[in-house]
């Protein structure tokens, strides 16, 4: 059995300082009074939530927060549901063209999002989807990773399970909803976290398609606050708010994140 | 018709029906845009529907465009700074985590991973503050400063941007490496220790070769991420100073959404795809050669 070594622990402490200190600075700056000097960084004489309150009340901020929420939440739910259906078909059903479809989907992973940015934008613009929430969400629903990983997972499930369901007279939809979906929950949980993070933190696509407040997400809003004359403490308050949901998800579901990365990295 | 062919046919129909929603989404938002990118790159494209086929003009223009070659140079330099450093940091982190035992691993793993949860926008905002000429990093450097991280020369600006991206993103690759390390058989290490192998030998002769598939995955993934650099540039430098951080994606964004030159921007997107594709193939070749050597 390995024992903790003091030298290694020291190194890990230094590395952790590198990762965590900037985030602690965000918290301190966000809780410092607006007129307090932000340089050098000092623990403020009094902590205040004024910045948070001010930012949350700022005209468009609630709208951005809500847009980010819908963008992430709807995408996660729709991607997971439709991908599970497709993955079930690709893993368990024989039909002509199955492999062509599977590899066409996986091959799209090779194409950078920037390559399809312009045509996707034009497509959305043509159907008046610019500055709308559905125009923002719809194009991001094509997620090859989700289809591929869920398919890998379903393939490992024992055949007997599906035979038993058939013997019991379960229809295809019943089998999918009450057998497949519950069994693939671990991979769905993992994917849910990452899809949420990717959507919540996404910039380029929301930047080009959500130019007005109607569809502007929090990251785009945050970037715009950065170029405006907002005080550092207010900016950091906004940054902190944008970070909290991600942190909360991580604290609650850490286990799935580690398992999920292990699965994507080693098998992917 | 026999009952077997009937059930075969039913299976096929079910398969297609279950696949249908994803297929529709992929056709509309992946396959069509990919073909669209190729198609648009041969046109002069205006949003009002004014489209003219101009053959390879966008590409000849691209090859003669000093801005394009500048952006390619900037991006390559950034990738050269970013990719090896991020691999060293994430592999180092993974090896550290793998070497310590017990409950401490979980806590340190979480602490090292935490920046991955943030957006590049958040990372850009906080590091802009850290990098300020009167900021905390320059205060720590004391006499050596002030260093103009984001307003200095191209190398310094790109290195500073790379630091931000490494800080924000290395956690993912670190966990990929960690999973790879955990999957390595302990017996091989025990045998090597019995044979009196040095830690250096163990690392070069055992750890790295066994890690190769994982290494390839991380190398390709981080290279692709490096070539797509945009968010931190958008937030921290706006492509400057004096276009020192004018990356390919920033060039594409400018061409498309500042100059509304959609056909040209599409051609830049195709060029980016080709660069990434060629590099992925070269990286695979390089690693395979190392195997046979």
């Amino acid at each position: 059995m390995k024992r903790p070594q003091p030298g290694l622990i020291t190194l890990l402490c230094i590395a952790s300082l590198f990762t965590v200190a900037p985030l602690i600075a965000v918290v301190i700056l966000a809780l410092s009074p607006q007129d307090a000097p932000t340089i050098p960084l000092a623990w403020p004489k009094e902590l205040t939530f004024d910045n948070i309150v001010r930012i949350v009340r700022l005209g468009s901020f609630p709208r951005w927060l809500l847009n980010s929420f819908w963008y992430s939440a709807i995408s996660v739910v729709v991607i997971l549901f439709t991908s599970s259906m497709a993955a079930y078909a690709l893993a368990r059903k024989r039909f002509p063209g199955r492999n062509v479809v599977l590899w066409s989907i996986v091959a799209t992973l090779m194409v950078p999002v920037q390559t399809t940015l312009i045509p996707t934008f034009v497509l959305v613009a043509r159907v008046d989807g610019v500055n709308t929430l559905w125009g923002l969400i719809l194009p991001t629903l094509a997620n090859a990773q989700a289809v591929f990983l869920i398919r890998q997972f379903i393939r490992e499930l024992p055949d007997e399970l599906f035979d038993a369901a058939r013997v019991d007279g379960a229809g295809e939809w019943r089998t999918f909803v009450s057998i497949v979906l519950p069994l693939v929950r671990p991979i769905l949980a993992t994917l849910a976290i990452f899809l949420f993070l990717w959507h919540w933190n996404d910039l380029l696509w929301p930047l080009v398609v959500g130019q007005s407040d109607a569809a502007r997400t929090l990251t785009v809003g945050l970037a715009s606050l950065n170029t405006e004359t907002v005080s550092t403490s207010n900016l950091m308050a906004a940054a902190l708010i944008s970070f909290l949901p991600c942190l909360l998800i991580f604290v609650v579901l850490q286990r799935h994140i580690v398992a999920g990365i292990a699965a994507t990295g080693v098998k992917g | 018709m026999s009952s077997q062919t009937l059930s075969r046919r039913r299976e096929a129909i079910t398969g297609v029906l279950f696949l249908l929603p994803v297929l529709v989404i992929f056709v509309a938002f992946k396959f069509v845009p990919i073909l669209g990118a190729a198609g648009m790159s041969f046109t002069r494209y205006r949003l009002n529907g004014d489209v003219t086929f101009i053959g390879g003009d966008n590409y000849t223009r691209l090859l003669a465009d000093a801005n394009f070659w500048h952006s390619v140079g900037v991006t390559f330099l950034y990738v050269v700074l970013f990719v090896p450093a991020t691999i060293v940091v994430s592999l180092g982190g993974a090896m550290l985590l793998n070497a310590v035992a017990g409950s401490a691993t979980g806590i340190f793993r979480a602490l090292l991973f935490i920046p991955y949860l943030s957006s590049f926008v958040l990372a850009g905002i906080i590091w802009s503050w850290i990098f300020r000429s009167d900021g905390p990093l320059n205060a720590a450097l004391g006499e050596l400063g002030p260093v103009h991280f984001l307003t200095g020369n191209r190398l310094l600006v790109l290195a500073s941007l790379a630091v931000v991206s490494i800080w924000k993103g290395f956690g993912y690759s670190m966990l990929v490496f960690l999973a790879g390390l955990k999957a390595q058989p302990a017996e091989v290490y025990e045998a090597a220790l019995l044979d009196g192998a040095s830690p250096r030998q163990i690392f070069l002769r055992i750890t790295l070769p066994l890690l190769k598939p994982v290494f390839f995955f991380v190398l390709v993934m981080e290279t692709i991420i490096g070539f797509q650099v945009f968010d931190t540039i958008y937030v921290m430098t706006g492509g400057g100073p004096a276009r020192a951080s004018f990356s390919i994606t920033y060039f594409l964004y400018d061409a498309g959404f500042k100059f509304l030159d959609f056909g040209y921007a599409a051609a830049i997107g195709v060029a980016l795809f080709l660069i990434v594709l060629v590099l992925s193939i070269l990286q695979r070749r390089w690693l395979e050669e190392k195997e046979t050597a």
Side-chain angles (χ1 to χ4, degrees), chain B residues 266-287:
Chain B
I268 299 167
V270 173
L272 178 69
F273 167 65
L274 292 176
I275 292 172
V276 169
L277 185 70
V278 168
L279 273 167
S280 302
I281 294 168
L282 288 180
Q283 284 173 335
R284 161 149 286 202
R285 282 256 174 88
W286 176 67
L287 273 173

Side-chain angles (χ1 to χ4, degrees), chain A residues 33 89 146 164 188 198 233:
Chain A
L188 294 189
W198 292 334
S233 45

Side-chain angles (χ1 to χ4, degrees), chain A residues 76-212:
Chain A
V76 170
V77 172
V78 176
I79 289 172
L80 290 186
F81 195 75
T82 56
S83 300
S84 300
M85 284 174 65
Y88 175 52
L90 290 169
R92 290 278 157 187
K93 302 292 165 199
R94 272 162 305 173
F95 53 89
R98 182 178 74 162
N99 287 327
V100 177
V101 171
L102 175 67
W103 295 113
S104 314
I105 288 175
V106 173
T108 61
L109 285 170
M110 288 297 295
V111 183
V113 286
Q114 288 87 349
T115 303
T116 52
L117 181 72
I118 302 290
T120 310
F121 177 80
V122 169
L123 193 71
V124 170
R126 281 283 164 86
V127 289
D128 288 326
V130 175
N131 288 324
T132 66
L133 210 48
W134 61 264
L136 175 69
I137 295 170
L138 272 179
T140 67
L141 297 179
N143 191 295
Q145 269 131 316
V147 176
F148 183 70
L149 288 175
I150 302 170
R151 174 192 172 264
Q152 298 300 85
F153 199 91
I154 293 178
R155 235 164 45 134
E156 313 271 306
L157 298 176
D159 293 335
E160 292 79 24
L161 222 79
F162 296 94
D163 295 338
R166 201 168 312 134
V167 170
D168 287 348
E172 288 296 348
W173 188 253
R174 266 287 300 283
T175 310
F176 173 70
V177 173
S178 49
I179 295 178
V180 176
L181 279 186
L183 282 172
V184 297
R185 233 169 27 206
I187 190 74
L188 294 189
T190 303
L191 277 167
I193 299 163
F194 282 103
L195 290 170
F196 182 88
L197 285 178
W198 292 334
H199 278 84
W200 185 268
N201 290 332
D202 195 8
L203 177 71
L204 186 57
W205 174 246
L207 180 68
V208 299
V209 86
Q211 291 139 332
S212 77

Side-chain angles (χ1 to χ4, degrees), chain A residues 2 16 18-19 23 38-39 82 89 94 112 114-115 118-119 122-123 126 172 198 201 203 207-208 226 239 261 264, chain B residues 8 11 14-15 22 28 33 45 98 101 108 111 114 116-119 122 129 132 134 167 172 228 231 235 269:
Chain A
K2 284 174 278 185
S16 304
F18 170 72
T19 54
L23 293 169
T38 58
I39 284 177
T82 56
R94 272 162 305 173
Q114 288 87 349
T115 303
I118 302 290
V122 169
L123 193 71
R126 281 283 164 86
E172 288 296 348
W198 292 334
N201 290 332
L203 177 71
L207 180 68
V208 299
N226 188 39
I261 292 182
T264 50
Chain B
R8 271 271 168 96
E11 184 183 326
T14 325
V22 156
Y45 204 106
N98 196 40
F108 281 119
L111 289 177
I114 226 169
Y116 183 78
L117 305 168
S118 68
S119 60
L122 192 160
W129 176 81
R132 272 168 60 158
D134 58 346
W167 177 81
Y172 192 96
Q228 298 182 340
D231 298 14
V235 175

